[in-house]
Amino acid sequence: MNYEKLTHREPVLLAHLPTPLYRLDRLSEVLGGPEIWIKRDDATGVGMGGNKVRKLQYLLAEAREQSATALLTAGPLQSNHCRQTAAVAAAAGLDCILVIEDRVRDADALYRTNGNLLLDRLFGARFVVLDGGANLEAALEQQARKVREQGGVPYVIPVGASSALGALGYVDCAAEIAGQTDFTFDHWIHATGSGGTQAGLVAGAEWHHLNVQILGINILDVPAAQVAHRIRTIADEVLLNAGHVSTEKHDVTVLDGYVGEAFGKPTEGMIEAVSLLGRTEGLVLDPVHTGKAMAGLIDQVRKGRFASGERLLFIHTGGLPSTFAYAPLWSLEAVTTNF
Ligand SMILES: *Cc1c(COP(=O)(O)O)cnc(C)c1O
């Protein structure tokens, strides 16, 4: 695709692409509804993979153009985005500074040491940890100033890498999916948060004239309407800047009902979904994003949203490391009790 009006840059190619796409026979059989397929964007490679790598390839191109010496970004303690940024920075020979928001209440010691946080440290990132609700933007600006004072050049990446530039990674993914089968899926389903993934997919589907329904499962404790608004804004910016003037208002569907008590808090549906995918397919989903998204998919299949001849594609956006921060949910004791 010609992205020239948005960026004359080529993405810095770090991800292992194309990611695999295949049918989940056992899960489809167990659920007994439509045919379910998976797109393995958890397997993008860098730093244990996930959806941020595709977006970061474009942001890194801009960072290099500005001769940046450090990548700065923000997220919660178990942020997949922070971990992938730290890995990309390491692979590109840049410093990485993470502004971490301590926002999940009652987090245990495992949550504070394992999973993404362990990997952030292995990738050599430096940290600033703030209380939940702190002003992350201001903290990022302050850290950027510090880098400048020390003679470096900071490049600040928005939360989730969800800018129009970052979303190009998912415009690419839409084209990649279209090229992997000789049919078009009826639905793409995935976890949606800061919105760049869905915005890229929506823009990509429109650009390539793919007649697919895209369903985002909201994993934030922000109303779906607000998430959808942000997605539409980013998608508009992508399409407009790429010179593709759309006459239609693109359809952005975000479903509420699966986040549970709060972002990052386990739900029964998530535990069922993660356990089911493990048992039927040998696949790992995470408790925060893909587990809740799969819980939404399962529930929507049970409620009859999809016709039995339809084909659904679940886009696995990653997050595996955070599963290790939630180990007690699948402790021997918990598993034996549920047996
Ligand atoms: C960040 C993330 C998402 C959400 O993607 P957005 O582009 O922020 O909407 C989904 N799943 C996982 C595993 C993530 O890390």
Side-chain angles (χ1 to χ4, degrees):
M1 187 190 292
N2 178 5
Y3 300 135
E4 270 182 34
K5 290 199 177 148
L6 185 63
T7 168
H8 50 278
R9 297 161 209 103
E10 289 293 316
V12 180
L13 298 177
L14 293 170
H16 302 181
L17 303 177
T19 58
L21 181 151
Y22 55 90
R23 200 169 64 194
L24 298 178
D25 289 330
R26 300 236 313 132
L27 180 70
S28 304
E29 194 185 317
V30 168
L31 295 181
E35 222 175 74
I36 301 166
W37 294 58
I38 194 163
K39 173 69 170 164
R40 294 288 307 276
D41 259 27
D42 56 313
T44 52
V46 187
M48 292 189 81
N51 64 339
K52 305 310 180 304
V53 175
R54 285 188 194 265
K55 307 184 199 178
L56 289 167
Q57 295 192 124
Y58 280 95
L59 296 167
L60 180 58
E62 186 174 71
R64 282 209 169 141
E65 196 176 271
Q66 296 175 7
S67 306
T69 60
L71 302 184
L72 286 74
T73 199
L77 278 174
Q78 285 295 336
S79 166
N80 299 306
H81 164 65
C82 286
R83 182 248 313 161
Q84 288 164 84
T85 302
V88 163
L94 303 175
D95 290 336
C96 181
I97 300 162
L98 302 175
V99 171
I100 299 285
E101 185 189 9
D102 193 353
R103 63 183 275 190
V104 171
R105 280 171 284 121
D106 322 318
D108 63 12
L110 204 55
Y111 187 88
R112 300 179 157 283
T113 53
N114 208 334
N116 285 306
L117 270 180
L118 166 63
L119 296 176
D120 292 343
R121 288 197 299 272
L122 292 186
F123 301 147
R126 283 185 289 136
F127 295 86
V128 180
V129 181
L130 305 175
D131 286 341
N135 185 343
L136 302 182
E137 310 268 311
L140 278 170
E141 214 15 77
Q142 189 188 357
Q143 292 304 317
R145 222 176 302 124
K146 265 195 193 163
V147 171
R148 267 185 234 106
E149 280 162 16
Q150 290 161 6
V153 180
Y155 182 82
V156 177
I157 295 172
V159 172
S162 285
S163 58
L165 182 58
L168 291 180
Y170 274 85
V171 176
D172 290 344
C173 183
E176 190 178 295
I177 292 168
Q180 284 178 302
T181 55
D182 54 10
F183 58 86
T184 301
F185 285 97
D186 299 290
H187 307 268
W188 293 344
I189 303 176
H190 66 95
T192 205
S194 63
T197 300
Q198 193 164 352
L201 291 172
V202 165
E206 194 165 317
W207 185 284
H208 296 288
H209 309 291
L210 304 174
N211 188 17
V212 57
Q213 300 275 314
I214 302 170
L215 188 59
I217 306 289
N218 184 16
I219 51 84
L220 297 181
D221 30 26
V222 166
Q226 207 171 311
V227 176
H229 177 74
R230 191 162 52 212
I231 292 167
R232 214 171 276 118
T233 306
I234 302 169
D236 276 342
E237 196 183 333
V238 169
L239 287 170
L240 216 69
N241 282 295
H244 179 91
V245 180
S246 163
T247 47
E248 289 163 50
K249 200 82 209 120
H250 30 256
D251 184 20
V252 174
T253 310
V254 178
L255 268 195
D256 260 339
Y258 302 102
V259 67
E261 192 192 325
F263 170 82
K265 283 278 185 191
T267 63
E268 289 290 323
M270 175 282 287
I271 295 173
E272 185 203 359
V274 175
S275 303
L276 183 64
L277 267 285
R279 254 187 282 120
T280 57
E281 298 285 353
L283 266 170
V284 186
L285 299 178
D286 79 290
V288 181
H289 306 82
T290 55
K292 287 180 179 176
M294 182 56 80
L297 183 156
I298 292 169
D299 185 52
Q300 293 295 317
V301 167
R302 288 179 179 153
K303 285 180 172 155
R305 183 186 186 104
F306 313 108
S308 65
E310 288 192 316
R311 280 183 284 226
L312 319 188
L313 180 67
F314 180 77
I315 302 173
H316 190 329
T317 43
L320 312 192
S322 77
T323 308
F324 296 93
Y326 287 81
L329 293 177
W330 289 276
S331 68
L332 197 53
E333 200 177 38
V335 173
T336 314
T337 318
N338 292 334
F339 183 69

